[in-house]
C-alpha cells in the first residue's frame, strides 16, 4: 500500500491510471514494480557517480601513482566495454522469458569489482595498481552491459509508456542530490589521501549489492523467447536492422553524432586542472556533475514522456552551446577562472543528461518485446565501436591541438542537433 501511495504522489493521476504498452495482466503490479525499479536505479546511479572514471577514478589513479597513459584508458574502457558485448548478450538474454536475473547478476558483478578495486589499491602502487584497476574495470563493464540490456527490457515490461522518462528522471535527480552531499564532504577532505577513495569504493560496492537484492522483488511477467537460436548467429542477423529499419538507423546515427556531449567534458576538466590544480578541484567538479543531475533529470524525464525527440533536440542544443563557449574561451583567454569552468561543466552535464534521458526513453518507446532487446543490443554495440574510434580520433587530434579537438566536438554536436530533427516522434505513438 505504501508503494502505491508514493507512486501516485510521484506520477500524476492521469498517467497513474494509464497502462500503455505493457500486458494487461501486469497492470496491477505497476505501482510496486515502479518503486522497486526506481530505488534500484537510484542506488545504481549513486554507485556510478561515486566511481566516475571522469573524476573519482582519474584522481585515484594519480594518488596510487599509475602512469598517465593508463588514466587515458578509463573512460573508453568503461563506456565501450559495457556496450561492445551487448550484441551477443542481447541475443543470449532474449532466449529467456524472465530477465531480471540478468540485471541482478550484472549488479553483483559491478559491486564485486568495485570492492576488489578497493582491496587492490590498498595493497598495490604504480603500474601494478593501475593494471588492477583497468582489469577490474573491464570486468565491471561487462556487468554494466548485462544490466543495460536487461533493465530496458524489464522496465519496458513493467513500467507503462508515458511513465518511463519520469522514472529515469526521478532516479537521476535523487541520486544527484545524494552525490551532491557526498561531494561537499569530499571538498572538506584532502583528495590525495587514499582512505577517502577506499570509503567511496566500499560504499559504492555495497550500493550495487543492495540494488541487486532490491531488484529481485520485481514481479516480472514472462516475455517472448526465440528458443534455441545461437546467440552469435542471432547477433549477426540483428545487425541487419541498421539496413532495414529506417527510424532505428536514424536514431543510431543521431546518437553517434551526439557522443561529444560526454567525450568533451574530460578535456574541460583537463584544462581546469592545468590552471587550477588544487586539492578541492575534484570535489567541486563532482558537485557540479551531481548538481546538474539533481536539477535537470527529473525535468528531462517528464518532458521525455511527452516527446523524447524534443528532449534530444533541446539537450543537443545545450551541448552545442557548451562546446561553442568552451571554444571561444580557449581562443580568447589565457586563463579562465575555476568558477567559469564549473559553470561550463554544469551546462555540458545538463545537456548530456538530457541526451541520455531522451535517447533511453526514445529507445524504450520505439518497440516492445524482443524487438526492444534487439534495438538496445545493436545500438549499444555499434556505439561501443564508434566510441573507441571517436575516442582514438579525438585523442590524436588533442595530441596535435587541444583547440582542434574542441572544434571537432563542436562540429559533431552541431551535426547531431541537425540530425535530431529527422527523428520520428515515437513518444506519442500508440
Amino acid at each position: 500500500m505504501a508503494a502505491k501511495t508514493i507512486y501516485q504522489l510521484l506520477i500524476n493521476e492521469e498517467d497513474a491510471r494509464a497502462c500503455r504498452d505493457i500486458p494487461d495482466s501486469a497492470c496491477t503490479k505497476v505501482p510496486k514494480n515502479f518503486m522497486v525499479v526506481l530505488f534500484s536505479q537510484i542506488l545504481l546511479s549513486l554507485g556510478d557517480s561515486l566511481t566516475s572514471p571522469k573524476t573519482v577514478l582519474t584522481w585515484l589513479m594519480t594518488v596510487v601513482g599509475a602512469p598517465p597513459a593508463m588514466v587515458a584508458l578509463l573512460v573508453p574502457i568503461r563506456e565501450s566495454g559495457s556496450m561492445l558485448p551487448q550484441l551477443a548478450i542481447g541475443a543470449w538474454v532474449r532466449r529467456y522469458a524472465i530477465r531480471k536475473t540478468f540485471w541482478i547478476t550484472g549488479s553483483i558483478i559491478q559491486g564485486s569489482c568495485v570492492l576488489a578495486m578497493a582491496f587492490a589499491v590498498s595493497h598495490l602502487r604504480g603500474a601494478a595498481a593501475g593494471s588492477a584497476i583497468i582489469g577490474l574495470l573491464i570486468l565491471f563493464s561487462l556487468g554494466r552491459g548485462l544490466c543495460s540490456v536487461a533493465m530496458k527490457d524489464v522496465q519496458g515490461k513493467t513500467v507503462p509508456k508515458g511513465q518511463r522518462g519520469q522514472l529515469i528522471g526521478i532516479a537521476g535527480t535523487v541520486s544527484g542530490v545524494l552525490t551532491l552531499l557526498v561531494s561537499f564532504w569530499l571538498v572538506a577532505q584532502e583528495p590525495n589521501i587514499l582512505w577517502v577513495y577506499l570509503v567511496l569504493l566500499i560504499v559504492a560496492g555495497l550500493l550495487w549489492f543492495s540494488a541487486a537484492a532490491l531488484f529481485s522483488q520485481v514481479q516480472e511477467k514472462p516475455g517472448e523467447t526465440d528458443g534455441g537460436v545461437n546467440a552469435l548467429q542471432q547477433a549477426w542477423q540483428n545487425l541487419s536492422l541498421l539496413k532495414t529499419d529506417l527510424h532505428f538507423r536514424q536514431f543510431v546515427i543521431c546518437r553517434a553524432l551526439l557522443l561529444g556531449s560526454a567525450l568533451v567534458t574530460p578535456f574541460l576538466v583537463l584544462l581546469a586542472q592545468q590552471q587550477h590544480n588544487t586539492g578541492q578541484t575534484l570535489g567541486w567538479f563532482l558537485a557540479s556533475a551531481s548538481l546538474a543531475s539533481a536539477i535537470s533529470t527529473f525535468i528531462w524525464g517528464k518532458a521525455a514522456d511527452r516527446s523524447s525527440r524534443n528532449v534530444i533536440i533541446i539537450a543537443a542544443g545545450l551541448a552545442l552551446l557548451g562546446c561553442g563557449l568552451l571554444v571561444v574561451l580557449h581562443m580568447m583567454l589565457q586563463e579562465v577562472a575555476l568558477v567559469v569552468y564549473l559553470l561550463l561543466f554544469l551546462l555540458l552535464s545538463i545537456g548530456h543528461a538530457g541526451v541520455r534521458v531522451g535517447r533511453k526513453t526514445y529507445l524504450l518507446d520505439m518497440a516492445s518485446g524482443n524487438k526492444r532487446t534487439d534495438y538496445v543490443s545493436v545500438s549499444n554495440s555499434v556505439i561501443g565501436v564508434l566510441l573507441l574510434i571517436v575516442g582514438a580520433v579525438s585523442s590524436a587530434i588533442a595530441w596535435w591541438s587541444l583547440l582542434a579537438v574542441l572544434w571537432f566536438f563542436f562540429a559533431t554536436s552541431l551535426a547531431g542537433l541537425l540530425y535530431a530533427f529527422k527523428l520520428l516522434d515515437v513518444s506519442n505513438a500508440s
Side-chain angles (χ1 to χ4, degrees):
M1 184 61 72
K4 185 174 182 180
T5 302
I6 299 173
Y7 167 76
Q8 290 173 338
L9 289 174
L10 293 174
I11 306 297
N12 68 62
E13 185 178 359
E14 181 179 349
D15 287 341
R17 290 198 304 266
C19 201
R20 299 168 58 196
D21 201 33
I22 66 171
D24 292 338
S25 58
C27 287
T28 58
K29 308 297 183 183
V30 166
K32 179 182 178 180
N33 282 334
F34 184 96
M35 298 308 300
V36 170
V37 173
L38 172 62
F39 282 108
S40 299
Q41 281 289 83
I42 289 172
L43 295 174
L44 199 71
S45 297
L46 183 56
D48 272 336
S49 298
L50 297 184
T51 57
S52 170
K54 299 176 185 177
T55 52
V56 177
L57 292 186
T58 294
W59 253 264
L60 174 60
M61 293 280 270
T62 303
V63 170
V64 298
M70 289 186 172
V71 176
L73 296 174
L74 292 174
V75 174
I77 284 177
R78 179 168 176 178
E79 298 302 323
S80 63
S82 66
M83 293 180 180
L84 283 172
Q86 288 191 24
L87 195 59
I89 289 175
W92 174 48
V93 169
R94 75 203 303 269
R95 298 165 61 186
Y96 295 85
I98 299 294
R99 294 163 187 176
K100 69 178 183 180
T101 307
F102 293 97
W103 194 94
I104 295 168
T105 302
S107 187
I108 292 173
I109 290 173
Q110 291 176 87
S112 300
C113 289
V114 170
L115 291 178
M117 283 183 194
F119 179 81
V121 299
S122 66
H123 290 79
L124 302 174
R125 292 294 180 272
S131 298
I133 291 174
I134 289 175
L136 288 166
L137 192 61
I138 293 172
L139 182 58
F140 172 96
S141 297
L142 296 176
R144 196 164 182 253
L146 196 58
C147 283
S148 178
V149 171
M151 172 57 85
K152 289 184 176 65
D153 187 68
V154 173
Q155 188 175 330
K157 289 197 291 180
T158 58
V159 178
K161 192 174 184 178
Q163 300 177 25
R164 297 161 182 167
Q166 295 177 70
L167 187 151
I168 296 171
I170 294 169
T173 295
V174 174
S175 65
V177 171
L178 295 175
T179 307
L180 187 61
L181 298 176
V182 174
S183 64
F184 287 148
W185 170 79
L186 191 60
V187 167
Q189 309 302 317
E190 174 51 59
N192 290 328
I193 298 178
L194 183 61
W195 73 263
V196 172
Y197 297 92
L198 294 179
V199 170
L200 292 178
L201 291 174
I202 292 171
V203 170
L206 295 177
L207 287 171
W208 267 293
F209 283 119
S210 300
L214 182 60
F215 203 76
S216 66
Q217 302 303 308
V218 169
Q219 296 180 317
E220 178 190 2
K221 295 290 183 181
E224 301 174 22
T225 61
D226 278 346
V229 179
N230 179 274
L232 291 178
Q233 179 184 356
Q234 182 64 47
W236 182 255
Q237 293 174 359
N238 287 344
L239 279 174
S240 64
L241 286 170
L242 293 170
K243 180 179 180 181
T244 60
D245 194 321
L246 172 64
H247 299 307
F248 176 62
R249 182 170 69 250
Q250 289 176 335
F251 167 78
V252 173
I253 293 173
C254 181
R255 182 181 175 185
L257 291 171
L258 292 175
L259 283 175
S261 68
L263 295 179
V264 73
T265 48
F267 293 100
L268 187 155
V269 173
L270 177 62
L271 286 171
Q273 190 178 25
Q274 289 174 352
Q275 299 179 21
H276 306 280
N277 191 19
T278 64
Q280 282 68 44
T281 302
L282 168 62
W284 286 120
F285 272 108
L286 189 60
S288 182
S290 56
L291 182 62
S293 179
I295 65 178
S296 70
T297 47
F298 178 73
I299 298 172
W300 286 132
K302 291 282 287 186
D305 283 330
R306 299 189 191 97
S307 175
S308 52
R309 171 184 178 270
N310 289 344
V311 164
I312 294 174
I313 291 172
I314 296 170
L318 292 179
L320 177 65
L321 176 62
C323 289
L325 291 174
L326 189 57
V327 168
V328 171
L329 287 174
H330 190 59
M331 289 178 63
M332 298 182 63
L333 300 177
Q334 291 286 332
E335 186 171 343
V336 179
L338 178 60
V339 66
V340 176
Y341 280 124
L342 290 172
L343 289 173
L344 271 180
F345 189 85
L346 180 68
L347 176 63
L348 285 166
S349 297
I350 290 174
H352 179 58
V355 171
R356 290 182 74 248
V357 172
R359 66 170 173 77
K360 284 183 177 182
T361 308
Y362 193 94
L363 201 57
L364 281 170
D365 290 346
M366 277 186 78
S368 60
N370 277 339
K371 194 170 186 181
R372 180 187 292 118
T373 307
D374 293 340
Y375 278 174
V376 172
S377 60
V378 172
S379 64
N380 282 352
S381 295
V382 171
I383 293 299
V385 174
L386 293 177
L387 185 62
L388 289 177
I389 296 173
V390 174
V393 170
S394 61
S395 296
I397 296 174
W399 181 81
W400 170 60
S401 168
L402 194 54
L403 178 61
V405 80
L406 298 180
W407 273 113
F408 171 72
F409 286 125
F410 176 82
T412 57
S413 297
L414 176 59
L417 172 61
L418 295 176
Y419 206 90
F421 286 96
K422 289 188 174 185
L423 296 178
L424 180 71
D425 191 347
V426 298
S427 298
N428 295 317
S430 58

